[in-house]
Amino acid sequence: DSGVTQTPKHLITATGQRVTLRCSPRSGDLSVYWYQQSLDQGLQFLIQYYNGEERAKGNILERFSAQQFPDLHSELNLSSLELGDSALYFCASSVEAGRGNTIYFGEGSWLTVV
Amino acid sequence: QKEVEQDPGPLSVPEGAIVSLNCTYSNSAFQYFMWYRQYSRKGPELLMYTYSSGNKEDGRFTAQVDKSSKYISLFIRDSQPSDSATYLCANGTGTASKLTFGTGTRLQVTL
């Protein structure tokens, strides 16, 4: 158990809908990362927050947004869902930004868009 | 061309074999290199981390980095069925926080 908690574990929704994925980082970790894993693309970095502020952005679609709250939990919002958004969404956390060796991943949220 | 490339496998070896997993990268800015292990539908688990060329050993695992040829390897000695998983190499730069992952190599260790 990495200490990173993600909910829900599984989610099935229809195209055009909106979902919110939630992440609680490890105790003491200030940085939260979101990654998307699909069969054909592998693990893709979406976005990073550090202590409530956006720190880095990757290949995140405009239909997707994220935020980190004062209690350091984070939410990833996915809207106008398409079939191609079906993937495993991972949250990861680390104590500080810029230190790859301390990044711990949660178990993921499996999103299926039908 | 992807920044980080891995042979997807699957790679099937008998129990006790030495396994060699490889990864190449194209971005010269990468300064640190990691190997993650991912069991089916689970989160990636950090196995090895290194930031310099050469070898780093941890138990049955050895990570090898050759920055001149942009080649990274992970060796697993005395492989066990519990090593059956997908192995992901990941690279990062010194200032950026995001990691760039390969697509992973699926390993199966048979009895």
Side-chain angles (χ1 to χ4, degrees), chain A residues 2 4 12 17 19 37-38 42 44 50 55 59-60 65 67 75-76 85 88 90 92 99 101 103-104 108:
Chain A
S2 66
V4 179
I12 301 174
Q17 295 298 304
V19 298
Q37 187 175 40
S38 56
Q44 299 288 314
Y50 178 76
R55 176 61 66 96
N59 301 320
I60 187 167
S65 65
Q67 54 185 324
E75 292 182 355
L76 178 67
D85 297 328
L88 254 175
F90 286 107
R99 294 284 303 274
N101 61 320
I103 293 178
Y104 296 91

Side-chain angles (χ1 to χ4, degrees), chain A residues 10 33 35 37 40-43 45 48 55 88 90 97-103 105-107 110, chain B residues 2 32 34 36 38 41-46 49 88 93-103:
Chain A
H10 300 277
Y33 311 77
Y35 281 82
Q37 187 175 40
D40 57 343
Q41 291 294 321
L43 264 170
F45 170 74
Q48 180 208 358
R55 176 61 66 96
L88 254 175
F90 286 107
R99 294 284 303 274
N101 61 320
T102 58
I103 293 178
F105 282 80
E107 293 297 286
W110 185 270
Chain B
K2 292 185 177 180
Y32 52 87
M34 280 145 287
Y36 282 81
Q38 185 177 22
R41 301 210 177 188
K42 296 290 187 182
E45 172 194 5
L46 180 64
Y49 164 88
L88 303 160
T93 64
T95 54
S97 306
K98 76 179 187 84
L99 298 178
T100 301
F101 283 83
T103 51

Side-chain angles (χ1 to χ4, degrees), chain B residues 21-59:
Chain B
L21 302 166
N22 305 305
C23 179
T24 59
Y25 64 95
S26 58
N27 189 346
S28 298
F30 288 142
Q31 295 180 339
Y32 52 87
F33 310 92
M34 280 145 287
W35 284 97
Y36 282 81
R37 176 175 62 195
Q38 185 177 22
Y39 292 111
S40 181
R41 301 210 177 188
K42 296 290 187 182
E45 172 194 5
L46 180 64
L47 280 179
M48 299 287 288
Y49 164 88
T50 184
Y51 54 87
S52 59
S53 284
N55 295 350
K56 182 176 181 178
E57 190 174 315
D58 184 0

